[in-house]
């Protein structure tokens, strides 16, 4: 059974007696760890990278002035409940606000969980689908939340079936941790629901450390890919978890070995109580530059930052080319500089 309370975490040996008032943390932010993730944690390691992602920490009560309840500005671009329309050709459809696990760095931590916004009511879902149908510029619908793959196959099939009737929607993307944290959910019924959309379906797997890609997780991803569902990855760059070249390289290679194309590497957002996870942009740029020379091009993610206030993503990898009087100067992956003509 999932661990959902501090008492259950203590009973499982994942929280020590001197951890501070974690009940205060749990009252503010949802707690949840699946058995699969709990089994990966080494209780003897105070810096275990899986524990750091899912076990609450008293540091989460340290709220900084720059932090925001809605750090990427979803609300500013929500014309109807459940829809975020930030970019012209795509929308987020937030059908559910619960997750199989609750990440301690979640940028929607004020909205998700048992006490969060819950599942869209029937009339709100109707209005969200109607909005998508009315806006012919929408080419892609991204199911997120919360984690859309916690929905039952029947519920998922209903939503995707309604999208199937909207001709201008060509792509459906689902952002999920489920294939890694609860791989048994990726069964024939769920895959049939995804394929029943009649659209090109992408699943973006969120994973932050190579240990999350267990054999069971890789088998679940294989079931999706073998069914014709394209997989990409998203990862958050997190201090103490994956902020070194060796760990990031191992993670990106693990994605590619699992037939998942590395997609986004996110700079951590300014969510409340997450300062202990954040590193500087310069540190992130240095890590991404080091990846360039150490792993295959197939393994390179796009390093992005969501601009606070709802202004969208910016690619923030260090530029490797600059202008000179004679043309351009290009930096190679070893730091060497080379001239290049203006055209």
């Amino acid at each position: 059974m999932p661990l959902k309370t501090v008492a259950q975490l203590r009973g499982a040996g994942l929280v020590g007696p001197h951890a501070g008032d974690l009940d205060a943390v749990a009252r503010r932010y949802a707690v949840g760890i699946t058995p699969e993730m709990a089994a990966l944690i080494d209780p003897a390691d105070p810096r275990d990278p899986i524990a750091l992602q899912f076990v609450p920490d008293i540091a989460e009560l340290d709220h900084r002035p720059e932090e925001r309840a809605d750090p990427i500005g979803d609300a500013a671009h929500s014309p109807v409940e459940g829809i975020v329309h930030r970019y012209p050709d795509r929308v987020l459809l937030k059908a559910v606000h619960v997750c199989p696990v609750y990440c301690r760095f979640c940028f929607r931590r004020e909205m998700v969980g048992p006490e969060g916004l819950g599942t869209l009511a029937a009339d709100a879902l109707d209005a969200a689908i109607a909005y998508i149908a009315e806006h012919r510029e929408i080419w892609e619908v991204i199911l997120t939340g919360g984690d859309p793959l916690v929905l039952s196959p029947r519920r998922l099939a209903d939503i995707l079936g309604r999208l199937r009737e909207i001709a201008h929607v060509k792509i459906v993307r689902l952002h999920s941790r489920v294939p890694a944290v609860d791989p048994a959910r990726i069964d024939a019924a769920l895959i049939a629901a995804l394929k029943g959309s009649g659209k090109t379906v992408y699943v973006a797997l969120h994973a932050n450390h190579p240990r999350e890609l267990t054999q069971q997780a890789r088998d679940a991803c294989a079931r999706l890919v073998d069914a014709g569902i394209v997989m990409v990855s998203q990862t958050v760059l997190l201090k103490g978890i994956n902020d070194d070249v060796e760990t990031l390289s191992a993670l990106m290679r693990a994605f590619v070995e699992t037939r998942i194309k590395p997609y986004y590497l996110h700079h951590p957002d300014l969510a409340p109580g997450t300062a202990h996870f954040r590193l500087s942009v310069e540190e992130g740029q240095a890590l991404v530059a080091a990846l360039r020379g150490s792993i295959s091009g197939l393994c390179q993610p796009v390093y992005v930052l969501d601009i606070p206030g709802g202004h969208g993503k910016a690619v923030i990898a260090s530029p490797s080319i600059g202008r000179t009087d004679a043309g351009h100067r290009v930096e190679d992956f070893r730091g060497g500089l080379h001239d290049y003509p203006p055209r």
Side-chain angles (χ1 to χ4, degrees):
M1 294 291 292
L3 305 174
K4 296 185 177 182
T5 67
V6 173
Q8 289 174 338
L9 294 176
R10 284 200 173 97
L14 300 182
V15 171
H18 307 296
D21 188 7
L22 295 186
D23 289 309
V25 179
R27 285 193 294 271
R28 180 69 189 269
Y29 304 117
V31 173
I33 308 177
T34 58
E36 290 81 2
M37 290 297 101
L40 294 180
I41 295 172
D42 177 2
D45 180 3
R47 304 303 299 168
D48 181 90
I50 308 301
L52 291 176
Q53 292 186 64
F54 303 121
V55 176
D57 189 309
I58 195 70
E60 294 174 53
L61 298 179
D62 175 19
H63 293 177
R64 305 291 177 87
E66 67 272 15
E67 295 174 340
R68 306 178 180 209
D70 181 15
I72 70 167
D74 280 354
H77 297 279
S78 185
V80 299
E81 185 182 358
I83 291 288
V84 178
H85 196 173
R86 182 178 286 107
Y87 300 100
D89 74 336
R90 56 203 182 275
V91 296
L92 306 183
L93 174 56
K94 299 194 288 186
V96 63
H97 287 84
V98 296
C99 301
V101 292
Y102 290 102
C103 305
R104 309 323 304 166
F105 48 86
C106 178
F107 69 98
R108 292 195 178 114
R109 62 197 328 230
E110 300 279 8
M111 308 167 198
V112 300
E115 306 301 320
L117 299 181
T119 302
L120 274 188
D123 58 345
L125 180 60
D126 289 345
I129 297 292
Y131 179 90
I132 295 168
E134 290 162 6
H135 287 260
R136 298 186 59 82
E137 73 273 21
I138 297 173
W139 173 80
E140 179 183 24
V141 174
I142 302 166
L143 271 72
T144 182
D147 193 317
L149 293 188
V150 302
L151 294 169
S152 69
R154 179 195 61 79
R155 176 85 164 148
L156 199 56
D158 173 65
I159 294 171
L160 295 176
R162 297 170 75 174
L163 294 176
R164 182 177 59 233
E165 304 305 315
I166 304 175
H168 56 265
V169 172
K170 305 297 184 184
I171 306 294
V172 174
R173 190 194 330 166
L174 300 96
H175 282 231
S176 180
R177 268 193 175 274
V178 164
V181 305
D182 191 5
R185 289 188 71 92
I186 309 299
D187 59 13
L190 186 143
I191 289 171
L194 295 178
K195 290 185 68 66
S197 72
K199 309 294 184 182
T200 299
V201 177
Y202 283 71
V203 169
L205 173 66
H206 182 159
N208 300 314
H209 194 276
R211 274 169 47 195
E212 296 172 56
L213 289 172
T214 63
Q215 188 57 55
Q216 291 78 12
R218 294 180 187 226
D219 290 344
C221 294
R223 292 193 289 274
L224 291 166
V225 175
D226 288 345
I229 294 163
V230 185
M231 293 194 71
V232 297
S233 77
Q234 62 172 10
T235 294
V236 182
L237 186 58
L238 299 164
K239 183 183 290 187
I241 294 172
N242 57 20
D243 59 335
D244 62 88
V245 173
E246 293 76 18
T247 301
L248 273 183
S249 296
L251 176 60
M252 296 304 149
R253 284 174 171 151
F255 283 139
V256 172
E257 291 164 9
T258 311
R259 294 182 287 171
I260 300 170
K261 177 67 182 81
Y263 180 37
Y264 278 148
L265 176 64
H266 292 270
H267 194 77
D269 296 307
L270 298 175
T274 64
H276 54 297
F277 288 112
R278 293 198 294 273
L279 65 168
S280 70
V281 168
E282 291 77 14
E283 289 172 311
Q285 289 173 327
L287 281 168
V288 171
L291 285 183
R292 214 168 59 234
S294 61
I295 55 176
S296 164
L298 290 173
C299 302
Q300 304 291 334
V302 179
Y303 182 35
V304 296
L305 177 148
D306 266 293
I307 303 169
H311 302 288
K313 292 180 176 63
V315 177
I316 58 170
S318 299
S320 58
I321 188 167
R323 290 300 302 262
T324 68
D325 291 341
H328 303 87
R329 182 152 293 170
V330 187
E331 182 179 359
D332 66 31
F333 70 89
R334 296 185 182 89
L337 296 175
H338 310 274
D339 290 329
Y340 189 81
R343 64 187 65 206

